[in-house]
Amino acid sequence: MADDNSNNITLEDLATIAGVSVSTVSRALNDHHSISTKTKQKIWALAKERGYSFRRYMPAAPIGAEGAIAIVLPRTHGRPLPLSHPFFLELLANIGEAARDRGCDFTVSHTAPASYDDLYLAVTASRANGTIFLGQGDLHEAFNQLAATDARFVVWGAQLPGQKYCSIGSDNFLGGRRATLHLARLGRKKIVFLGETHPEAAQRREGYLDALRESGLEPEPSLVLPVDFEMESAEAAVSRLLRRGATFDAIFASSDLIALGAIRALQRAGLRAPEDVSVVGYDDMLLSRLSTPALTTIKQDTSKAGRLLVSRILDQDGDHDPETLPTDLIVRESCGG
């Protein structure tokens, strides 16, 4: 049986060199569960050494793993979410640690789905056990549609009304409420909200508005600013607010990166955090601990999130209901409390 690759090395040649059957070589190169890890690794190394032309459908990940997970970031507002975002890097690291503990490989896909068809292709055109989507973007209804198929996937994101798919995420409403109540208890009266319009940030905004009402503070639409999920957008928004002559004494930002952009805008305008404006972020990234001032923030448990996301893919008989993780207020220098 001659192989249809462009090199001279065939499956029969590899079988003869390795002292095994042709079917064993074929199964090993396709990472079949019936072949031992030791045999797979031996044949894979032999094939690479002899210049065998691997077919496109053969695994790209290291051979012999207990499973494989694909990581995909959907688009939001027509743009892919940036892989360079520090929060996603920390979440990705925790997913990787959880996968490694399970003897599982993971790959980050180059795709950035923008529709149901894109989502379906992402979960069906992969040899992975399942797919983790980092964020819902604008695709909540598309994910509901995908849940009607036999695709195995889980989403890091908000739990939404009418949801039919599995998601893991923090208690965004309570986190936003807790951050804003803390600022109000410090005596802040004019509290700005900075956030995206994606589902998680929208829930944090609702928590912010609820806390204002509970504190007897009137929500001011001019102090609720939509910003992108990046530092530069937040810095520009706060700079515009200051140029308009708006008065405010606190900022609740829907991510730490947004909060750091806000602080930079304050500093450029000659204002200090927390002396002039208290600032609270959301995520508890490493950067929030290293910034000057150190950032008060709402902590998301990305370590637990990573374990849950991986287990929902690998545990065939596990719990696949959505899960909302608790949040904690971490008080540091930037709020003055």
PDB file of all heavy atoms in Angstrom, residues 223-250:
ATOM      1  N   LEU A 223     -22.060  60.294  33.255  1.00  0.00           N
ATOM      2  CA  LEU A 223     -20.926  59.666  33.936  1.00  0.00           C
ATOM      3  C   LEU A 223     -20.819  58.174  33.620  1.00  0.00           C
ATOM      4  O   LEU A 223     -19.975  57.475  34.199  1.00  0.00           O
ATOM      5  CB  LEU A 223     -21.031  59.874  35.446  1.00  0.00           C
ATOM      6  CG  LEU A 223     -20.986  61.322  35.935  1.00  0.00           C
ATOM      7  CD1 LEU A 223     -21.013  61.369  37.461  1.00  0.00           C
ATOM      8  CD2 LEU A 223     -19.771  62.064  35.398  1.00  0.00           C
ATOM      9  N   VAL A 224     -21.666  57.662  32.740  1.00  0.00           N
ATOM     10  CA  VAL A 224     -21.596  56.256  32.289  1.00  0.00           C
ATOM     11  C   VAL A 224     -21.006  56.263  30.887  1.00  0.00           C
ATOM     12  O   VAL A 224     -21.667  56.668  29.925  1.00  0.00           O
ATOM     13  CB  VAL A 224     -22.986  55.597  32.305  1.00  0.00           C
ATOM     14  CG1 VAL A 224     -22.897  54.169  31.786  1.00  0.00           C
ATOM     15  CG2 VAL A 224     -23.566  55.613  33.722  1.00  0.00           C
ATOM     16  N   LEU A 225     -19.758  55.848  30.781  1.00  0.00           N
ATOM     17  CA  LEU A 225     -19.020  55.989  29.530  1.00  0.00           C
ATOM     18  C   LEU A 225     -18.699  54.630  28.915  1.00  0.00           C
ATOM     19  O   LEU A 225     -18.043  53.796  29.547  1.00  0.00           O
ATOM     20  CB  LEU A 225     -17.706  56.737  29.776  1.00  0.00           C
ATOM     21  CG  LEU A 225     -17.806  58.112  30.440  1.00  0.00           C
ATOM     22  CD1 LEU A 225     -16.424  58.717  30.584  1.00  0.00           C
ATOM     23  CD2 LEU A 225     -18.708  59.030  29.632  1.00  0.00           C
ATOM     24  N   PRO A 226     -19.160  54.389  27.679  1.00  0.00           N
ATOM     25  CA  PRO A 226     -18.769  53.156  26.982  1.00  0.00           C
ATOM     26  C   PRO A 226     -17.325  53.271  26.487  1.00  0.00           C
ATOM     27  O   PRO A 226     -16.956  54.263  25.856  1.00  0.00           O
ATOM     28  CB  PRO A 226     -19.743  53.087  25.802  1.00  0.00           C
ATOM     29  CG  PRO A 226     -20.129  54.513  25.546  1.00  0.00           C
ATOM     30  CD  PRO A 226     -20.077  55.215  26.871  1.00  0.00           C
ATOM     31  N   VAL A 227     -16.503  52.301  26.825  1.00  0.00           N
ATOM     32  CA  VAL A 227     -15.119  52.280  26.358  1.00  0.00           C
ATOM     33  C   VAL A 227     -14.783  50.877  25.871  1.00  0.00           C
ATOM     34  O   VAL A 227     -15.422  49.896  26.266  1.00  0.00           O
ATOM     35  CB  VAL A 227     -14.121  52.689  27.467  1.00  0.00           C
ATOM     36  CG1 VAL A 227     -14.385  54.108  27.946  1.00  0.00           C
ATOM     37  CG2 VAL A 227     -14.168  51.716  28.629  1.00  0.00           C
ATOM     38  N   ASP A 228     -13.787  50.774  25.004  1.00  0.00           N
ATOM     39  CA  ASP A 228     -13.320  49.477  24.542  1.00  0.00           C
ATOM     40  C   ASP A 228     -12.522  48.802  25.648  1.00  0.00           C
ATOM     41  O   ASP A 228     -12.116  49.425  26.631  1.00  0.00           O
ATOM     42  CB  ASP A 228     -12.466  49.622  23.284  1.00  0.00           C
ATOM     43  CG  ASP A 228     -13.279  50.111  22.093  1.00  0.00           C
ATOM     44  OD1 ASP A 228     -14.503  49.849  22.080  1.00  0.00           O
ATOM     45  OD2 ASP A 228     -12.706  50.762  21.200  1.00  0.00           O
ATOM     46  N   PHE A 229     -12.255  47.519  25.426  1.00  0.00           N
ATOM     47  CA  PHE A 229     -11.609  46.675  26.425  1.00  0.00           C
ATOM     48  C   PHE A 229     -10.095  46.875  26.383  1.00  0.00           C
ATOM     49  O   PHE A 229      -9.334  45.915  26.255  1.00  0.00           O
ATOM     50  CB  PHE A 229     -11.974  45.220  26.116  1.00  0.00           C
ATOM     51  CG  PHE A 229     -11.987  44.322  27.308  1.00  0.00           C
ATOM     52  CD1 PHE A 229     -12.272  44.787  28.578  1.00  0.00           C
ATOM     53  CD2 PHE A 229     -11.727  42.961  27.154  1.00  0.00           C
ATOM     54  CE1 PHE A 229     -12.303  43.936  29.670  1.00  0.00           C
ATOM     55  CE2 PHE A 229     -11.755  42.107  28.235  1.00  0.00           C
ATOM     56  CZ  PHE A 229     -12.039  42.591  29.495  1.00  0.00           C
ATOM     57  N   GLU A 230      -9.641  48.141  26.466  1.00  0.00           N
ATOM     58  CA  GLU A 230      -8.216  48.422  26.360  1.00  0.00           C
ATOM     59  C   GLU A 230      -7.894  49.724  27.074  1.00  0.00           C
ATOM     60  O   GLU A 230      -8.756  50.600  27.264  1.00  0.00           O
ATOM     61  CB  GLU A 230      -7.798  48.501  24.892  1.00  0.00           C
ATOM     62  CG  GLU A 230      -8.612  49.466  24.077  1.00  0.00           C
ATOM     63  CD  GLU A 230      -8.441  49.280  22.585  1.00  0.00           C
ATOM     64  OE1 GLU A 230      -8.250  48.139  22.133  1.00  0.00           O
ATOM     65  OE2 GLU A 230      -8.517  50.290  21.872  1.00  0.00           O
ATOM     66  N   MET A 231      -6.639  49.879  27.467  1.00  0.00           N
ATOM     67  CA  MET A 231      -6.209  51.025  28.260  1.00  0.00           C
ATOM     68  C   MET A 231      -6.370  52.348  27.518  1.00  0.00           C
ATOM     69  O   MET A 231      -6.811  53.350  28.087  1.00  0.00           O
ATOM     70  CB  MET A 231      -4.749  50.826  28.667  1.00  0.00           C
ATOM     71  CG  MET A 231      -4.197  51.894  29.591  1.00  0.00           C
ATOM     72  SD  MET A 231      -2.447  51.617  29.998  1.00  0.00           S
ATOM     73  CE  MET A 231      -2.571  50.115  30.968  1.00  0.00           C
ATOM     74  N   GLU A 232      -6.006  52.368  26.226  1.00  0.00           N
ATOM     75  CA  GLU A 232      -6.021  53.609  25.471  1.00  0.00           C
ATOM     76  C   GLU A 232      -7.427  54.192  25.344  1.00  0.00           C
ATOM     77  O   GLU A 232      -7.615  55.411  25.409  1.00  0.00           O
ATOM     78  CB  GLU A 232      -5.412  53.392  24.092  1.00  0.00           C
ATOM     79  CG  GLU A 232      -3.934  53.080  24.078  1.00  0.00           C
ATOM     80  CD  GLU A 232      -3.604  51.650  24.500  1.00  0.00           C
ATOM     81  OE1 GLU A 232      -4.547  50.823  24.577  1.00  0.00           O
ATOM     82  OE2 GLU A 232      -2.423  51.370  24.755  1.00  0.00           O
ATOM     83  N   SER A 233      -8.415  53.334  25.171  1.00  0.00           N
ATOM     84  CA  SER A 233      -9.798  53.790  25.058  1.00  0.00           C
ATOM     85  C   SER A 233     -10.260  54.444  26.352  1.00  0.00           C
ATOM     86  O   SER A 233     -10.922  55.487  26.346  1.00  0.00           O
ATOM     87  CB  SER A 233     -10.706  52.619  24.692  1.00  0.00           C
ATOM     88  OG  SER A 233     -12.053  53.022  24.614  1.00  0.00           O
ATOM     89  N   ALA A 234      -9.892  53.852  27.490  1.00  0.00           N
ATOM     90  CA  ALA A 234     -10.277  54.408  28.781  1.00  0.00           C
ATOM     91  C   ALA A 234      -9.581  55.737  29.027  1.00  0.00           C
ATOM     92  O   ALA A 234     -10.192  56.698  29.515  1.00  0.00           O
ATOM     93  CB  ALA A 234      -9.939  53.427  29.893  1.00  0.00           C
ATOM     94  N   GLU A 235      -8.300  55.805  28.700  1.00  0.00           N
ATOM     95  CA  GLU A 235      -7.560  57.047  28.888  1.00  0.00           C
ATOM     96  C   GLU A 235      -8.183  58.177  28.075  1.00  0.00           C
ATOM     97  O   GLU A 235      -8.362  59.299  28.575  1.00  0.00           O
ATOM     98  CB  GLU A 235      -6.100  56.850  28.478  1.00  0.00           C
ATOM     99  CG  GLU A 235      -5.230  58.061  28.732  1.00  0.00           C
ATOM    100  CD  GLU A 235      -3.773  57.814  28.394  1.00  0.00           C
ATOM    101  OE1 GLU A 235      -3.452  56.714  27.898  1.00  0.00           O
ATOM    102  OE2 GLU A 235      -2.951  58.723  28.617  1.00  0.00           O
ATOM    103  N   ALA A 236      -8.561  57.877  26.832  1.00  0.00           N
ATOM    104  CA  ALA A 236      -9.169  58.901  25.980  1.00  0.00           C
ATOM    105  C   ALA A 236     -10.530  59.333  26.523  1.00  0.00           C
ATOM    106  O   ALA A 236     -10.869  60.531  26.512  1.00  0.00           O
ATOM    107  CB  ALA A 236      -9.309  58.371  24.555  1.00  0.00           C
ATOM    108  N   ALA A 237     -11.318  58.376  27.018  1.00  0.00           N
ATOM    109  CA  ALA A 237     -12.653  58.707  27.530  1.00  0.00           C
ATOM    110  C   ALA A 237     -12.578  59.598  28.757  1.00  0.00           C
ATOM    111  O   ALA A 237     -13.337  60.569  28.891  1.00  0.00           O
ATOM    112  CB  ALA A 237     -13.413  57.419  27.851  1.00  0.00           C
ATOM    113  N   VAL A 238     -11.673  59.286  29.681  1.00  0.00           N
ATOM    114  CA  VAL A 238     -11.540  60.107  30.888  1.00  0.00           C
ATOM    115  C   VAL A 238     -10.981  61.485  30.538  1.00  0.00           C
ATOM    116  O   VAL A 238     -11.404  62.503  31.111  1.00  0.00           O
ATOM    117  CB  VAL A 238     -10.657  59.384  31.930  1.00  0.00           C
ATOM    118  CG1 VAL A 238     -10.370  60.300  33.124  1.00  0.00           C
ATOM    119  CG2 VAL A 238     -11.349  58.115  32.411  1.00  0.00           C
ATOM    120  N   SER A 239     -10.066  61.546  29.581  1.00  0.00           N
ATOM    121  CA  SER A 239      -9.532  62.846  29.154  1.00  0.00           C
ATOM    122  C   SER A 239     -10.633  63.726  28.571  1.00  0.00           C
ATOM    123  O   SER A 239     -10.696  64.929  28.848  1.00  0.00           O
ATOM    124  CB  SER A 239      -8.417  62.638  28.120  1.00  0.00           C
ATOM    125  OG  SER A 239      -7.303  61.981  28.709  1.00  0.00           O
ATOM    126  N   ARG A 240     -11.518  63.136  27.784  1.00  0.00           N
ATOM    127  CA  ARG A 240     -12.649  63.900  27.231  1.00  0.00           C
ATOM    128  C   ARG A 240     -13.568  64.389  28.344  1.00  0.00           C
ATOM    129  O   ARG A 240     -14.069  65.525  28.305  1.00  0.00           O
ATOM    130  CB  ARG A 240     -13.430  63.042  26.233  1.00  0.00           C
ATOM    131  CG  ARG A 240     -12.715  62.805  24.907  1.00  0.00           C
ATOM    132  CD  ARG A 240     -13.664  62.237  23.863  1.00  0.00           C
ATOM    133  NE  ARG A 240     -14.209  60.946  24.256  1.00  0.00           N
ATOM    134  CZ  ARG A 240     -13.631  59.772  23.973  1.00  0.00           C
ATOM    135  NH1 ARG A 240     -12.488  59.747  23.291  1.00  0.00           N
ATOM    136  NH2 ARG A 240     -14.190  58.649  24.350  1.00  0.00           N
ATOM    137  N   LEU A 241     -13.793  63.531  29.320  1.00  0.00           N
ATOM    138  CA  LEU A 241     -14.645  63.903  30.447  1.00  0.00           C
ATOM    139  C   LEU A 241     -14.061  65.104  31.192  1.00  0.00           C
ATOM    140  O   LEU A 241     -14.784  66.054  31.549  1.00  0.00           O
ATOM    141  CB  LEU A 241     -14.787  62.705  31.393  1.00  0.00           C
ATOM    142  CG  LEU A 241     -15.919  62.721  32.420  1.00  0.00           C
ATOM    143  CD1 LEU A 241     -17.280  62.749  31.746  1.00  0.00           C
ATOM    144  CD2 LEU A 241     -15.806  61.509  33.342  1.00  0.00           C
ATOM    145  N   LEU A 242     -12.760  65.077  31.392  1.00  0.00           N
ATOM    146  CA  LEU A 242     -12.106  66.193  32.092  1.00  0.00           C
ATOM    147  C   LEU A 242     -12.136  67.476  31.261  1.00  0.00           C
ATOM    148  O   LEU A 242     -12.341  68.569  31.803  1.00  0.00           O
ATOM    149  CB  LEU A 242     -10.663  65.804  32.418  1.00  0.00           C
ATOM    150  CG  LEU A 242     -10.495  64.709  33.480  1.00  0.00           C
ATOM    151  CD1 LEU A 242      -9.057  64.218  33.523  1.00  0.00           C
ATOM    152  CD2 LEU A 242     -10.925  65.215  34.851  1.00  0.00           C
ATOM    153  N   ARG A 243     -11.957  67.348  29.956  1.00  0.00           N
ATOM    154  CA  ARG A 243     -11.995  68.535  29.093  1.00  0.00           C
ATOM    155  C   ARG A 243     -13.374  69.176  29.097  1.00  0.00           C
ATOM    156  O   ARG A 243     -13.509  70.393  28.922  1.00  0.00           O
ATOM    157  CB  ARG A 243     -11.577  68.169  27.668  1.00  0.00           C
ATOM    158  CG  ARG A 243     -10.076  67.939  27.509  1.00  0.00           C
ATOM    159  CD  ARG A 243      -9.666  67.972  26.055  1.00  0.00           C
ATOM    160  NE  ARG A 243     -10.332  66.949  25.254  1.00  0.00           N
ATOM    161  CZ  ARG A 243      -9.850  65.725  25.068  1.00  0.00           C
ATOM    162  NH1 ARG A 243      -8.703  65.358  25.635  1.00  0.00           N
ATOM    163  NH2 ARG A 243     -10.505  64.863  24.326  1.00  0.00           N
ATOM    164  N   ARG A 244     -14.428  68.366  29.274  1.00  0.00           N
ATOM    165  CA  ARG A 244     -15.789  68.913  29.333  1.00  0.00           C
ATOM    166  C   ARG A 244     -16.052  69.640  30.643  1.00  0.00           C
ATOM    167  O   ARG A 244     -17.103  70.263  30.812  1.00  0.00           O
ATOM    168  CB  ARG A 244     -16.821  67.782  29.186  1.00  0.00           C
ATOM    169  CG  ARG A 244     -16.872  67.132  27.820  1.00  0.00           C
ATOM    170  CD  ARG A 244     -18.240  66.511  27.564  1.00  0.00           C
ATOM    171  NE  ARG A 244     -18.744  65.715  28.667  1.00  0.00           N
ATOM    172  CZ  ARG A 244     -18.688  64.376  28.731  1.00  0.00           C
ATOM    173  NH1 ARG A 244     -18.108  63.686  27.770  1.00  0.00           N
ATOM    174  NH2 ARG A 244     -19.207  63.744  29.761  1.00  0.00           N
ATOM    175  N   GLY A 245     -15.149  69.496  31.599  1.00  0.00           N
ATOM    176  CA  GLY A 245     -15.342  70.126  32.895  1.00  0.00           C
ATOM    177  C   GLY A 245     -16.248  69.351  33.822  1.00  0.00           C
ATOM    178  O   GLY A 245     -16.770  69.917  34.798  1.00  0.00           O
ATOM    179  N   ALA A 246     -16.448  68.061  33.544  1.00  0.00           N
ATOM    180  CA  ALA A 246     -17.304  67.238  34.398  1.00  0.00           C
ATOM    181  C   ALA A 246     -16.672  67.090  35.776  1.00  0.00           C
ATOM    182  O   ALA A 246     -15.444  67.003  35.914  1.00  0.00           O
ATOM    183  CB  ALA A 246     -17.505  65.860  33.764  1.00  0.00           C
ATOM    184  N   THR A 247     -17.502  67.060  36.788  1.00  0.00           N
ATOM    185  CA  THR A 247     -17.014  66.869  38.161  1.00  0.00           C
ATOM    186  C   THR A 247     -17.314  65.446  38.603  1.00  0.00           C
ATOM    187  O   THR A 247     -18.440  64.957  38.462  1.00  0.00           O
ATOM    188  CB  THR A 247     -17.675  67.867  39.122  1.00  0.00           C
ATOM    189  OG1 THR A 247     -19.100  67.703  39.072  1.00  0.00           O
ATOM    190  CG2 THR A 247     -17.323  69.296  38.747  1.00  0.00           C
ATOM    191  N   PHE A 248     -16.325  64.782  39.136  1.00  0.00           N
ATOM    192  CA  PHE A 248     -16.494  63.421  39.662  1.00  0.00           C
ATOM    193  C   PHE A 248     -15.387  63.166  40.664  1.00  0.00           C
ATOM    194  O   PHE A 248     -14.318  63.781  40.617  1.00  0.00           O
ATOM    195  CB  PHE A 248     -16.481  62.383  38.540  1.00  0.00           C
ATOM    196  CG  PHE A 248     -15.239  62.411  37.676  1.00  0.00           C
ATOM    197  CD1 PHE A 248     -14.146  61.592  37.958  1.00  0.00           C
ATOM    198  CD2 PHE A 248     -15.151  63.258  36.577  1.00  0.00           C
ATOM    199  CE1 PHE A 248     -13.012  61.617  37.178  1.00  0.00           C
ATOM    200  CE2 PHE A 248     -14.019  63.286  35.781  1.00  0.00           C
ATOM    201  CZ  PHE A 248     -12.939  62.460  36.078  1.00  0.00           C
ATOM    202  N   ASP A 249     -15.652  62.264  41.614  1.00  0.00           N
ATOM    203  CA  ASP A 249     -14.661  61.971  42.644  1.00  0.00           C
ATOM    204  C   ASP A 249     -14.325  60.482  42.740  1.00  0.00           C
ATOM    205  O   ASP A 249     -13.594  60.071  43.649  1.00  0.00           O
ATOM    206  CB  ASP A 249     -15.115  62.499  44.010  1.00  0.00           C
ATOM    207  CG  ASP A 249     -16.509  62.010  44.407  1.00  0.00           C
ATOM    208  OD1 ASP A 249     -17.013  61.062  43.763  1.00  0.00           O
ATOM    209  OD2 ASP A 249     -17.087  62.582  45.351  1.00  0.00           O
ATOM    210  N   ALA A 250     -14.865  59.674  41.821  1.00  0.00           N
ATOM    211  CA  ALA A 250     -14.556  58.240  41.838  1.00  0.00           C
ATOM    212  C   ALA A 250     -14.817  57.645  40.462  1.00  0.00           C
ATOM    213  O   ALA A 250     -15.616  58.180  39.668  1.00  0.00           O
ATOM    214  CB  ALA A 250     -15.389  57.519  42.896  1.00  0.00           C
TER     215      ALA A 250
END
